[in-house]
């Protein structure tokens, strides 16, 4: 198994008990067939955490936006439409950790690894956004700014682990985001 | 008035005010699905030299493909040198509070009111 770890991965390990702990498993085919379900899941996740009375500043619109970008990406780039996407949300006091696990085609596996490396090492994300949009104005087949906006505008910490099984060729991606709830 | 249904959103263009009002939640699947939005925006403002208002205050959600679509629309106006763009946003909707200022980074002539 070849393993590459990028960015802020496991800054809060799963072994630490969370105050809120929700796991969901979904098949991409169910989301591709009815795309609105991505938004419905995102709104559910946001409402679930926003109703906590001891966390009055949990911003529902923010959590929904973060979740939606992550689930849309995982859905679009899963290796098989009937493969599983696993989502794990954990609340630690004022930090919401969202972990998404999926299996991607090998070409996307390498592309995403390169993209996330660029994002996590970039010194000027505004400049990267402007440059990306200039490139898209020539040929926009995909958006390509979802993760960039989450890091740049939402101050999310993000990390990822890329696992490739040499025997089977299976490419597994684990993405973790950490949203710090404003106090 | 021209209107376009885009997923769970409605876009209305009021020609007399040169104002484009977005309402609802716009989370289409990809750039190809946003082609219809791009065409509507371009077609609506094609003949106008007047400043155009993009009123986003009732748009609860816009995904990254949607932000890319609006960004590319602004870049195309910048390239053409017209029309001037004014964007109205809401402080109480967090995606707008956090991301709407990006449009001005693409074209300094864009006016943001939030």
């Amino acid at each position: 198994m070849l393993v590459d770890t990028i960015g802020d991965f496991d800054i809060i390990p799963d072994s630490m008990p969370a105050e809120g702990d929700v796991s969901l498993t979904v098949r991409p085919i169910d989301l591709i067939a009815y795309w609105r379900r991505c938004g419905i899941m995102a709104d559910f996740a946001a409402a679930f955490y926003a109703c906590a009375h001891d966390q009055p500043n949990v911003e529902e619109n923010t959590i929904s936006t973060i979740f939606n970008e992550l689930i849309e990406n995982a859905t679009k780039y899963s290796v098989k439409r009937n493969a599983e996407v696993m989502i794990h949300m954990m609340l630690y006091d004022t930090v919401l950790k969202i972990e998404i696990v999926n299996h991607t085609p090998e070409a996307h596996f390498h592309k995403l690894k390169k993209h996330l490396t660029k994002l996590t090492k970039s010194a000027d994300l505004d400049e990267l956004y402007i440059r990306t949009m200039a490139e898209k104005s020539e040929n926009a087949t995909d958006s390509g700014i979802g993760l960039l906006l989450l890091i740049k505008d939402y101050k999310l910490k993000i990390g990822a682990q890329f696992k490739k099984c040499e025997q089977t060729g299976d490419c597994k991606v684990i993405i973790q985001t950490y949203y710090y709830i404003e106090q | 008035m021209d209107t376009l249904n885009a997923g769970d959103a409605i876009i209305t263009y009021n020609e007399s005010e040169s104002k484009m009002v977005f309402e609802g939640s716009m989370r289409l699947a990809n750039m190809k699905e946003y082609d219809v939005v791009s065409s509507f925006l371009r077609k609506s403002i094609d003949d106008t030299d007047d400043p155009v208002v993009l009123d986003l205050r009732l748009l609860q959600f816009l995904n990254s493909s949607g932000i890319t679509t609006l960004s590319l629309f602004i870049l195309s106006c910048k390239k053409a040198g017209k029309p001037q763009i004014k964007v109205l946003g809401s402080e109480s909707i967090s995606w707008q509070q956090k991301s709407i200022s990006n449009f001005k980074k693409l074209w300094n002539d864009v006016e943001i009111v939030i």
Side-chain angles (χ1 to χ4, degrees):
Chain A
M1 181 78 76
L2 298 171
V3 180
D4 276 328
T5 303
I6 291 169
D8 293 310
F9 191 83
D10 267 352
I11 52 177
I12 302 177
D14 276 355
S15 55
M16 188 176 285
E19 291 155 44
D21 191 335
V22 178
S23 295
L24 299 166
T25 300
V26 65
R27 294 187 188 281
I29 184 68
D30 290 325
L31 303 179
I32 288 166
Y34 300 98
W35 192 252
R36 286 183 64 225
R37 286 174 173 167
C38 291
I40 289 168
M41 288 182 72
D43 290 345
F44 157 74
F48 185 88
Y49 283 107
C51 74
H53 295 300
D54 56 344
Q55 294 285 357
N57 295 321
V58 170
E59 178 47 72
E60 200 166 341
N61 191 278
T62 298
I63 295 174
S64 182
T65 298
I66 295 166
F67 189 105
N68 189 66
E69 289 301 328
L70 296 173
I71 193 72
E72 282 193 5
N73 276 350
T75 301
K76 284 178 191 173
Y77 303 113
S78 280
V79 67
K80 290 176 188 167
R81 293 199 302 172
N82 62 351
E84 288 181 342
V85 174
M86 284 158 284
I87 305 133
H88 194 186
M89 297 181 291
M90 289 146 283
L91 182 66
Y92 298 94
D93 192 18
T94 57
V95 182
L96 179 64
K97 175 181 176 182
I98 303 177
E99 179 177 277
I100 300 232
V101 182
N102 73 327
H103 298 261
T104 74
E106 188 167 359
H108 179 72
F109 182 82
H110 295 298
K111 190 177 166 189
L112 181 61
K113 192 160 45 172
K114 195 173 162 190
H115 181 58
L116 269 172
T117 302
K118 186 166 74 174
L119 289 182
T120 53
K121 290 189 172 169
S122 172
D124 189 345
L125 291 169
D126 278 329
E127 193 276 330
L128 185 57
Y129 161 72
I130 293 165
R131 186 152 41 92
T132 304
M133 284 302 105
E135 289 165 8
K136 299 285 173 195
S137 68
E138 303 297 324
N139 180 26
T141 52
D142 60 357
S143 162
I145 60 163
L147 295 175
L148 166 62
L149 293 181
L150 292 185
I151 299 170
K152 184 174 88 63
D153 296 345
Y154 292 78
K155 310 301 177 203
L156 234 64
K157 290 201 177 299
I158 192 163
Q161 199 161 67
F162 295 82
K163 295 182 175 179
K164 184 179 175 190
C165 177
E166 289 167 290
Q167 284 76 38
T168 63
D170 179 58
C171 297
K172 181 177 177 181
V173 179
I174 305 167
I175 291 187
Q176 294 178 351
T177 64
Y178 297 87
Y179 167 57
Y180 291 77
I181 298 160
E182 291 165 25
Q183 295 300 296
Chain B
M1 290 233 245
D2 291 328
T3 61
L4 175 75
N5 289 301
D8 291 331
I10 298 174
I11 309 171
T12 305
Y13 183 63
N14 184 333
E15 193 174 351
S16 62
E17 295 179 50
S18 297
K19 189 175 186 180
M20 193 84 68
V21 179
F22 296 71
E23 292 177 69
S25 173
M26 196 151 66
R27 286 169 155 172
L28 304 181
N30 50 48
M31 294 305 296
K32 192 167 172 54
E33 287 204 6
Y34 272 102
D35 278 352
V36 64
V37 176
S38 298
S39 300
F40 183 77
L41 293 173
R42 292 272 9 133
K43 184 171 73 75
S44 300
I45 60 114
D46 228 12
D47 295 328
T48 187
D49 287 329
D50 296 334
V52 168
V53 176
L54 302 181
D55 186 348
L56 306 178
R57 291 174 296 179
L58 297 176
L59 191 61
Q60 290 299 316
F61 293 106
L62 183 66
N63 64 4
S64 57
S65 297
I67 290 178
T68 299
T69 299
L70 291 188
S71 298
L72 295 181
F73 172 70
I74 285 166
L75 281 178
S76 72
C77 295
K78 179 185 181 184
K79 192 175 176 184
K82 64 162 195 163
Q84 285 212 306
I85 305 285
K86 181 177 182 177
V87 182
L88 304 181
S90 168
E91 184 76 25
S92 63
I93 298 177
S94 71
W95 80 261
Q96 299 190 20
Q97 182 196 54
K98 293 176 192 303
S99 293
I100 219 169
S101 60
N102 288 324
F103 300 137
K104 193 170 178 64
K105 290 167 189 162
L106 295 173
W107 187 16
N108 198 40
D109 288 358
V110 172
E111 185 186 353
I112 308 276
V113 180
I114 188 162

